[in-house]
Amino acid sequence: MSIIRPRLNDFYNIPFTQEEVDFAIPYLDEDIPFYVDPFLLWKSPSFQDNSIHTAITNSFNYLGYQYISGDKESSIDMLLRASECNEVGLGNSKTRIGKPIGERTASTILSLFKTIPQINKAGFTHFEEIQLLVDNVGKDRISDFACSFMKSHLIDYTIYQSERWAIPRKKILVENIYNYKANIFETENIELPINEITNMPILFIPKRWLRFMPWLNYESFVSEYLIMKHSDWENKRYSRIELLDFNRNNYDLVQSYTKAKELKQTDCKNDPLFKSIPVLSSKRKLQTILKLPTGKENNADKEYENNLCQLLASLFYPQLDFAQEQVRTDSGVSIRDLIFYNNRSYDFLKDIYDDYNCKQIVFELKNVREVESQHINQLNRYLSTNFGRFGIIFTRNAPPKKIIKNTIDLWSGQRVCILILTDAELKLMCDIYENKQRLPVEVIKMKLIEFKRNCPS
């Protein structure tokens, strides 16, 4: 049975949710689209976070010191090593393998320590500023620099979390571990979780350090600061390269921007890996769905699917972590699916996992007036090919008796369970979501109990 967008805990069959753990659960076949923001460590109330920020900033500044002291070759080599940290799996790569910067970019970064007097004298306090000074340096590179210089700490953190959650580890060579005392990168043989797809070590990242965009970034510098302080820039339409060159020659402007962002540090918070929609939004999406006609006219089916995707992902969180929405084709018909990780975080979810070999739950979305046998058979074929023996069809109206009999026959013959939920169940879920007295996912439990009662013993 294949897993869509597999995560580490899914591979090892370890039942915990993203909400429960302190770290971002890594995917095995792609990156998590978030980044470590060093500013979060700087402004953190944690002494440990502050110390790590000091250490990674000092390490970065030491390379500049090496460079201006004449050891250009060594400092460039060190910066190249620090420019990619594949073990953490952050960014937008679909293979978890990134690409380091080139020697030219490394040399340009290190030359800042020679050409900008303030940096030459005191180094960086926030090395994220290089985004405003050097081309081809963005949020992914800032994150990788930070992770590389604190890789030793991330190793200790990963070992601790692995022991806490019983995540298997193996001995493996880990390259480019920064030795803070010796200011060199080393290779060590360490017991860490392994990505069985890439055969590479995995390092965990605390969720509290992650943002989609660093607090200090090029876009906010232009929109929130430069245009406000120098309105003439808005009309001159300078290119990015011209602006970076201007910043290098006017570094005091960059420093002023950084100070302004420091004063607003209370607004800087980590971005949640998943954010549920508010109750008011859930009500609006429900009303939109209920008012839609069945069928495809005026793209009613697409609107039904889009609203239901967003709604269900929030209604079921955190008991079910959203994995992916996808469109598949069955006999020339496009079918919209939602895939959820079955974390076994609730009693009946564990039963589904055990009884139906269901590691992921498939929801098929049908904006039709009446579910037909072909819809049941389509989902059954899909389940037998890719998933366990449990799936759910979301549709508009209660199915006729012959369709209910079809699902019961499937259970009797193949022990496949297909539940059919309608607008009525969706409305009930939204009411529960608003009242907060129970969990929306319990509606699935209710339908499962109802289904089992109808099945022959």
Side-chain angles (χ1 to χ4, degrees), residues 6-14 28 194 196-197 359:
R7 303 176 303 176
L8 183 68
N9 57 326
D10 304 311
F11 183 86
Y12 288 115
N13 296 326
I14 303 173
L28 298 185
I194 304 297
E196 299 290 347
I197 294 178
K359 295 183 179 180

Side-chain angles (χ1 to χ4, degrees), residues 169-269:
R169 292 179 289 142
K170 296 179 183 178
K171 281 274 188 181
I172 191 168
L173 283 177
V174 183
E175 299 179 339
N176 297 327
I177 303 173
Y178 189 72
N179 184 324
Y180 184 66
K181 292 183 178 178
N183 292 303
I184 57 173
F185 281 108
E186 300 174 329
T187 298
E188 293 184 35
N189 198 18
I190 305 170
E191 276 195 355
L192 286 173
I194 304 297
N195 186 333
E196 299 290 347
I197 294 178
T198 63
N199 200 33
M200 288 181 59
I202 288 176
L203 294 178
F204 300 152
I205 298 290
K207 292 185 292 188
R208 68 181 186 276
W209 293 351
L210 296 178
R211 282 175 59 88
F212 183 71
M213 181 69 72
W215 185 242
L216 303 177
N217 63 80
Y218 179 87
E219 288 76 12
S220 76
F221 172 76
V222 174
S223 62
E224 299 173 17
Y225 185 80
L226 187 63
I227 292 176
M228 291 179 64
K229 296 292 182 180
H230 299 272
S231 57
D232 57 316
W233 275 85
E234 187 174 15
N235 300 319
K236 290 183 179 178
R237 298 183 181 277
Y238 284 96
S239 69
R240 179 187 177 90
I241 299 299
E242 289 172 321
L243 181 53
L244 296 176
D245 184 60
F246 175 84
N247 287 345
R248 286 193 295 271
N249 293 314
N250 298 272
Y251 181 64
D252 56 327
L253 191 66
V254 174
Q255 288 181 307
S256 297
Y257 161 74
T258 300
K259 290 296 181 185
K261 295 289 277 187
E262 286 181 348
L263 292 174
K264 296 179 180 178
Q265 62 180 276
T266 53
D267 296 332
C268 178
K269 297 177 174 62

Side-chain angles (χ1 to χ4, degrees), residues 285-296 300-301 303-305 308 364-371 393-399 420-427:
K285 290 189 180 300
L286 174 64
Q287 290 305 312
T288 298
I289 290 171
L290 296 179
K291 291 176 182 177
L292 287 171
T294 57
K296 299 182 178 181
D301 57 334
E303 196 167 350
Y304 173 76
E305 293 166 355
L308 197 52
E364 191 173 290
L365 313 182
K366 291 291 183 184
N367 184 43
V368 294
R369 184 177 61 83
E370 186 177 286
V371 172
I393 292 178
F394 247 102
T395 188
R396 306 301 305 277
N397 303 308
I420 302 174
L421 278 69
T422 68
D423 284 355
E425 282 78 37
L426 183 62
K427 186 177 184 304

Side-chain angles (χ1 to χ4, degrees), residues 7-67:
R7 303 176 303 176
L8 183 68
N9 57 326
D10 304 311
F11 183 86
Y12 288 115
N13 296 326
I14 303 173
F16 55 71
T17 67
Q18 182 61 83
E19 186 83 355
E20 290 177 293
V21 296
D22 181 66
F23 58 92
I25 302 175
Y27 299 118
L28 298 185
D29 58 355
E30 61 182 78
D31 284 345
I32 303 171
F34 284 81
Y35 306 87
V36 169
D37 185 356
F39 196 92
L40 286 171
L41 283 80
W42 177 85
K43 58 97 55 171
S44 170
S46 165
F47 177 77
Q48 181 187 60
D49 289 1
N50 297 161
S51 299
I52 294 171
H53 183 269
T54 299
I56 62 178
T57 304
N58 287 347
S59 303
F60 190 87
N61 286 336
Y62 179 78
L63 299 186
Y65 170 77
Q66 271 189 313
Y67 185 85

Side-chain angles (χ1 to χ4, degrees), residues 373-392:
S373 294
Q374 63 169 331
H375 301 140
I376 305 296
N377 296 333
Q378 283 171 348
L379 180 55
N380 181 40
R381 286 195 298 272
Y382 188 46
L383 293 176
S384 63
T385 305
N386 295 281
F387 298 93
R389 302 186 311 279
F390 181 89
I392 295 174

